[in-house]
Amino acid sequence: MRKIRFVLEEFFRSFHKSIFKNMLLMLMFSISLVMGVLMCSYYLDMGDRYKDTTQHIGDSTWHSLNIVMADYESNHISDSFTTVTGCRNMMNYYEELSSSQEYPFFSLNDAQSVVMRDSDLMGFFGEKSYINFLDEAEPVYTFYTEDEQCLMWWLKGAQIDLGAYQMFGLRTVEGEGFTEENMVIQKASDAIPILLGNDYQGMIEVGTTVDINCWGYVYPCRVTGILERGSSLPPFGKMDMALTSLDSRIILPHGIRVKEETKNVDEIARYAFNDYIAVEDGIVCLPDGVELIDMIAAFREVGDKYGLPPAQIVGTSVGMDLFRKESDASVRNLLILTITLLGFAFYGLFVTFYDKIQSNRRTYGIYLMNGCSLGMILTPCLMEIAVILIPSVFIGRYVFLSADNMGSFPVDVTVRVVYFFVGIAFLAGAGFITYLMRGVDAEHLMRQKD
């Protein structure tokens, strides 16, 4: 009991004597540990993966995209639909992503409902039953457009772009499918192509036109083809799951190109918004052997080119997510700053304890001459190091890397690395103190002058 009391008293005496330095070291280690972990996460691709949205198929990894959260704290996206230039930037943004040869990209949503006016629905189906094609059993009277209220019906639908149509080998038994030609319209007011599932065969003729509301925008549509029976797509963002049948669905296209240089924002905004949703519904391929950080840099360049935030690649590490908008030069500057800060933190730790041991050498000599073991002298020093580092762990884990700050980002691996770094710092400090105290000669310490 006397030994424990001695260790505790020595610890409190030493800690209180340099409390300001110790508090400063706590702060330095907290910041430098978090920055160090994030830098490792960015450059070493260190972190958890979203198993539900990242699939390994063949020699490639497929990542879902997210552009809604990428623009959560700014208005870049919403501003894109208020001017013709902004709309064109959004459309070009999607087009450049979808045309990438290095990172194959396509968009799909296997369960995107489409909306028709009650009058359009009756004209579309005529006297035929439409019960099996409804997504909602009852209609709703609400706003169809900003200025029009009417009775509306929700029908089963899906949205895909040309890349998804080709990749999943969809074929038509009547008419034609999506092609590079029919995905381009001359004027913003022209009808866009839509496809119908095989259950529509014999009910709706190819060439039928109808207005369809999707995501609050109304598109004039023309049926260009009816798909083969059994046509299907993987569930949204889950390519390795059971396929969804398209037999009873209306398939709207992503990625419509408008050739006319219209000055009417209202006409072109719907196509810009459609491309925005296409990115949100996007899946991008990372070929085997290609670094994820390179794909993030490519997305960043496309975003910078059109003044838009880079789409978030789901399944990246925390560091890659946080710094995806930063230029390579900015991230390198952060790396240099982090290394410098870590160096100062460790230097401060070592200098602090070197000074402690040198200034207390006569005291340690007295302790040793009175039968105190070297372990009893080292223990308060190690406790002091632990007390400096442990708050750094809690500050880093529960303040900087908390769920509130990280949102939905997976942080388990990152947090474990924080613990690893702290463990390394503790062992380094313990080793340094042990080195200073090795082979201590009590009589020599007593003979030394302060």
Side-chain angles (χ1 to χ4, degrees):
M1 194 67 184
R2 292 176 60 189
K3 292 182 179 180
I4 296 175
R5 182 178 178 180
F6 168 81
V7 169
L8 292 176
E9 288 177 349
E10 182 63 18
F11 160 71
F12 284 115
R13 182 191 67 81
S14 178
F15 187 87
H16 184 268
K17 187 176 180 180
S18 55
I19 189 168
F20 177 76
K21 288 183 179 179
N22 289 341
M23 297 297 290
L24 184 60
L25 283 172
M26 287 181 191
L27 180 61
M28 289 178 64
F29 267 104
S30 297
I31 298 173
S32 59
L33 281 174
V34 171
M35 289 302 300
V37 170
L38 292 179
M39 286 292 103
C40 288
S41 178
Y42 181 83
Y43 282 106
L44 303 180
D45 189 16
M46 181 183 64
D48 290 340
R49 294 290 174 263
Y50 293 85
K51 296 180 181 178
D52 293 339
T53 52
T54 304
Q55 301 97 37
H56 297 276
I57 300 175
D59 59 354
S60 301
T61 303
W62 292 86
H63 293 263
S64 298
L65 298 183
N66 188 325
I67 196 170
V68 172
M69 292 304 297
D71 192 53
Y72 184 72
E73 295 179 349
S74 68
N75 296 313
H76 291 113
I77 296 296
S78 58
D79 290 346
S80 297
F81 310 122
T82 59
T83 65
V84 171
T85 300
C87 290
R88 283 294 180 185
N89 282 340
M90 177 59 72
M91 296 169 76
N92 292 334
Y93 179 73
Y94 161 77
E95 186 172 16
E96 186 157 338
L97 291 181
S98 63
S99 62
S100 171
Q101 298 298 314
E102 189 174 8
Y103 306 111
F105 171 99
F106 63 85
S107 299
L108 72 85
N109 187 335
D110 65 307
Q112 175 57 57
S113 297
V114 298
V115 182
M116 287 188 190
R117 299 181 184 93
D118 182 69
S119 57
D120 290 338
L121 183 79
M122 300 308 167
F124 191 64
F125 285 97
E127 299 297 324
K128 304 178 183 69
S129 174
Y130 48 80
I131 298 299
N132 293 332
F133 303 100
L134 297 178
D135 213 12
E136 298 289 341
E138 299 293 334
V140 175
Y141 188 84
T142 185
F143 283 95
Y144 187 73
T145 65
E146 188 174 325
D147 302 318
E148 177 188 358
Q149 282 185 292
C150 63
L151 199 63
M152 301 190 305
W153 294 84
W154 272 257
L155 288 86
K156 298 175 184 177
Q159 274 194 286
I160 61 174
D161 65 359
L162 182 60
Y165 180 85
Q166 294 173 339
M167 179 172 183
F168 294 102
L170 300 180
R171 298 288 184 270
T172 58
V173 293
E174 291 185 24
E176 65 178 5
F178 292 149
T179 65
E180 292 185 4
E181 290 75 24
N182 65 26
M183 296 286 273
V184 178
I185 58 177
Q186 295 298 316
K187 298 180 179 180
S189 58
D190 289 348
I192 65 173
I194 61 171
L195 303 176
L196 302 180
N198 195 262
D199 290 346
Y200 282 92
Q201 190 174 15
M203 297 182 63
I204 309 297
E205 294 183 0
V206 172
T208 301
T209 59
V210 65
D211 284 348
I212 287 179
N213 186 309
C214 185
W215 291 99
Y217 288 90
V218 180
Y219 300 89
C221 302
R222 181 178 65 85
V223 177
T224 61
I226 296 177
L227 295 172
E228 295 177 340
R229 178 159 295 281
S231 297
S232 56
L233 290 173
F236 175 50
K238 300 179 181 179
M239 292 177 60
D240 52 356
M241 302 290 285
L243 300 180
T244 299
S245 172
L246 300 177
D247 286 343
S248 61
R249 297 182 182 275
I250 298 174
I251 297 89
L252 270 71
H254 277 312
I256 292 294
R257 304 296 92 197
V258 182
K259 295 189 70 173
E260 176 190 32
E261 292 297 332
T262 180
K263 295 182 180 179
N264 189 329
V265 177
D266 293 335
E267 283 191 343
I268 199 171
R270 57 189 168 188
Y271 298 107
F273 189 84
N274 188 35
D275 286 344
Y276 160 64
I277 296 299
V279 177
E280 180 71 10
D281 291 347
I283 299 178
V284 63
C285 173
L286 180 69
D288 190 33
V290 178
E291 296 294 334
L292 188 55
I293 195 172
D294 294 333
M295 185 162 71
I296 290 174
F299 272 56
R300 181 168 58 232
E301 289 177 5
V302 176
D304 290 342
K305 183 175 180 180
Y306 298 109
L308 292 166
Q312 178 184 344
I313 301 170
V314 178
T316 56
S317 64
V318 174
M320 289 182 176
D321 277 324
L322 292 179
F323 299 129
R324 70 181 184 279
K325 298 180 184 179
E326 304 297 330
S327 66
D328 290 337
S330 296
V331 178
R332 281 196 297 270
N333 289 337
L334 284 174
L335 177 62
I336 294 171
L337 180 63
T338 300
I339 293 173
T340 303
L341 188 58
L342 276 168
F344 273 113
F346 278 104
Y347 175 77
L349 183 69
F350 293 148
V351 167
T352 297
F353 282 90
Y354 178 82
D355 290 342
K356 282 179 181 290
I357 291 174
Q358 293 302 313
S359 63
N360 288 303
R361 59 185 184 273
R362 285 182 57 82
T363 303
Y364 294 151
I366 294 172
Y367 289 160
L368 292 172
M369 291 291 289
N370 285 275
C372 183
S373 67
L374 185 60
M376 292 176 64
I377 296 175
L378 288 175
T379 300
C381 295
L382 299 180
M383 289 173 61
E384 194 169 351
I385 294 176
V387 169
I388 291 172
L389 295 176
I390 289 175
S392 303
V393 174
F394 282 93
I395 293 173
R397 171 65 182 89
Y398 295 105
V399 177
F400 294 109
L401 296 176
S402 66
D404 290 339
N405 289 331
M406 293 295 101
S408 61
F409 296 155
V411 297
D412 290 345
V413 170
T414 307
V415 169
R416 288 198 292 271
V417 176
V418 170
Y419 298 156
F420 173 78
F421 277 176
V422 170
I424 292 296
F426 179 79
L427 292 177
F432 179 70
I433 292 174
T434 304
Y435 172 81
L436 292 177
M437 296 293 290
R438 77 192 191 290
V440 166
D441 185 339
E443 293 186 5
H444 176 70
L445 287 175
M446 289 293 295
R447 289 195 299 269
Q448 283 186 311
K449 296 182 179 179
D450 289 330

